Amino acid sequence: MGQFHRHDAVNLLSKLTPRRAWNMLKVWSSYRISRLSGKPVQWGYPVSVSFEPTTSCNLRCPECPSGLRAFTRPTGMLNRDFFRETIDDIYKDLLYLIFYFQGEPYLNPDFLEMVQYASSKKVYTATSTNAHYLTEANARKTVESGLDRLIISIDGTTQEVYKQYRVGGNLEKVIQGAKNIVRAKKEMNSKKPFVVFQFLVVRPNEHQLEDVKQLAKEVGVDDVWFKTAQVYDYENDPHQLIPQNQKYSRYKRLPNGETIQKNKLENHCWKLWHANVITWDGLVVPCCFDKDALHRLGNLRHQSFREIWKNPAYIDFRRQLLTGRKNIDICANCSEGTRVWES
């Protein structure tokens, strides 16, 4: 699982225009040159952008600012008109749009309308949901919107295990929501969206890896992805989330009892060249690890995206990455490889 899927791959490639392909080449080559020279070079524009529909969430997951209601930045809903203006500015170079950062996307009443607008621009669209709002009506609207990929977070195959991380969640609703979207696709004769069960592997659920594969087959979703968990206080692991199976952990315990990250933090990051995140209120931040938008590289309420993407603040941030990434707080707990692919 987690491997090549022809229909999804063909669908993604169908969004590729000559201009987007040329932009991808410029971004990749400028990234390679930046790594070799140690100096930030950026010739292209983002291949992928994450847009935050809302900061609101119905659950209270222990390692999530939305769940903990712990934001220091303003909270709210993405405005439909602001979203359209931004997409109009960037869609010609943009290949992939992720409708997710923090919060539950389906809580924004205009969410699927915004998906439909991006789809009309031939941009590949994806979102991540806890599936509590995938009613029969919303499932049909999701298919009608043209959404290309739907990631459903399902971190347990029994209610007792599921609720240990998805605090306040109802597994029965999640499974029914998944069934609703699978049924809607069949009834509407649509191959989209590509539906994924994403399983965040933590200690309470690591014994259910095979169970979730079986559940996925029974429900009829397209794939299962296993994702490693980011734990903020991993030295102490206060919520006891770090799995014992090292394959699914971002961290390892040394003989002296100390817990460290498995991956070495190197002075480069592909994300800062090909992608970025836009908060619901227009702040442009480096990546999804900046959950509280502490590194604000621009504000789309005051500048165009193209101005922000190559402004002095962005150039300086990329320079810091190339020279001393360990000194950037949001990079300190970044593994870059968060999914575990299996055959």
Side-chain angles (χ1 to χ4, degrees):
M1 296 195 172
Q3 298 298 318
F4 177 84
H5 288 267
R6 185 173 63 85
H7 292 305
D8 189 44
V10 169
N11 180 35
L12 177 60
L13 289 174
S14 74
K15 316 290 185 183
L16 201 59
T17 63
R19 175 165 174 167
R20 288 171 181 166
W22 176 237
N23 180 62
M24 288 172 67
L25 180 61
K26 288 192 291 185
V27 170
W28 181 82
S29 57
S30 60
Y31 171 66
R32 299 305 304 177
I33 287 173
S34 297
R35 285 191 61 176
L36 289 170
S37 67
K39 297 178 181 179
V41 176
Q42 180 55 277
W43 293 324
Y45 291 96
V47 175
S48 171
V49 165
S50 295
F51 230 122
E52 180 178 58
T54 181
T55 50
S56 300
C57 190
N58 54 308
L59 304 185
R60 290 183 172 271
C61 306
E63 290 292 322
C64 174
S66 290
L68 295 172
R69 294 8 178 209
F71 288 115
T72 60
R73 63 182 170 101
T75 57
M77 299 274 183
L78 176 63
N79 178 273
R80 177 182 56 192
D81 293 334
F82 167 65
F83 171 77
R84 287 188 172 195
E85 290 169 7
T86 306
I87 290 300
D88 287 345
D89 184 39
I90 65 176
Y91 81 91
K92 291 181 180 178
D93 295 304
L94 186 67
L95 178 67
Y96 196 110
L97 179 61
I98 303 168
F99 272 102
Y100 179 73
F101 178 30
Q102 295 295 291
E104 168 52 47
Y106 280 86
L107 287 174
N108 187 319
D110 297 325
F111 168 59
L112 291 175
E113 189 176 331
M114 290 186 279
V115 172
Q116 191 164 24
Y117 188 75
S119 296
S120 74
K121 301 292 185 181
K122 307 298 182 186
V123 176
Y124 186 97
T125 54
T127 196
S128 179
T129 177
N130 61 46
H132 282 64
Y133 300 97
L134 276 179
T135 60
E136 288 186 14
N138 273 345
R140 291 189 68 86
K141 289 177 183 176
T142 298
V143 177
E144 290 168 350
S145 74
L147 183 72
D148 295 292
R149 179 177 291 175
L150 180 67
I151 300 169
I152 295 175
S153 297
I154 182 164
D155 307 326
T157 59
T158 59
Q159 176 63 21
E160 187 62 32
V161 170
Y162 175 79
K163 71 179 184 180
Q164 291 187 58
Y165 185 78
R166 297 287 166 182
V167 179
N170 184 322
L171 179 61
E172 189 177 328
K173 277 190 176 181
V174 178
I175 294 172
Q176 187 58 54
K179 288 179 178 178
N180 288 342
I181 197 78
V182 170
R183 185 186 306 114
K185 284 173 62 178
K186 287 179 180 176
E187 290 176 352
M188 301 170 75
N189 195 27
S190 175
K191 290 186 172 65
K192 301 190 307 183
F194 182 76
V195 183
V196 176
F197 270 175
Q198 181 164 274
F199 196 87
L200 185 71
V201 184
V202 287
R203 192 175 302 176
N205 69 17
E206 63 181 315
H207 64 288
Q208 294 186 334
L209 301 182
E210 293 302 318
D211 295 341
V212 77
K213 291 180 185 179
Q214 182 59 37
L215 180 61
K217 289 179 182 177
E218 293 171 2
V219 173
V221 303
D222 299 301
D223 203 1
V224 178
W225 292 350
F226 295 115
K227 185 178 180 182
T228 61
Q230 178 190 19
V231 178
Y232 288 97
D233 186 8
Y234 59 84
E235 293 94 342
N236 300 307
D237 191 15
H239 301 293
Q240 294 293 295
L241 294 176
I242 297 175
Q244 293 177 320
N245 187 332
Q246 283 293 295
K247 179 179 179 180
Y248 300 99
S249 176
R250 300 187 192 186
Y251 315 97
K252 63 181 178 182
R253 187 175 293 276
L254 300 178
N256 65 3
E258 181 185 1
T259 301
I260 63 171
Q261 293 183 62
K262 288 198 314 192
N263 292 359
K264 182 182 177 183
L265 197 65
E266 298 181 349
N267 288 337
H268 58 81
C269 180
W270 169 231
K271 277 197 173 183
L272 261 291
W273 268 256
H274 88 281
N276 81 310
V277 173
I278 301 171
T279 66
W280 70 272
D281 54 347
L283 299 175
V284 177
V285 298
C287 73
C288 60
F289 278 81
D290 192 5
K291 293 177 172 61
D292 229 357
L294 299 175
H295 298 270
R296 302 176 182 187
L297 303 176
N299 189 330
L300 287 168
R301 305 287 185 182
H302 308 307
Q303 288 178 291
S304 72
F305 187 89
R306 293 178 182 276
E307 289 174 320
I308 293 170
W309 184 243
K310 298 185 179 181
N311 70 13
Y314 238 125
I315 293 170
D316 185 58
F317 195 91
R318 294 187 185 107
R319 182 181 294 111
Q320 289 181 58
L321 274 172
L322 295 168
T323 56
R325 188 167 169 227
K326 65 180 180 180
N327 298 319
I328 303 174
D329 56 351
I330 61 171
C331 299
N333 195 6
C334 173
S335 67
E336 292 191 76
T338 58
R339 292 199 189 104
V340 179
W341 303 117
E342 294 196 341
S343 57

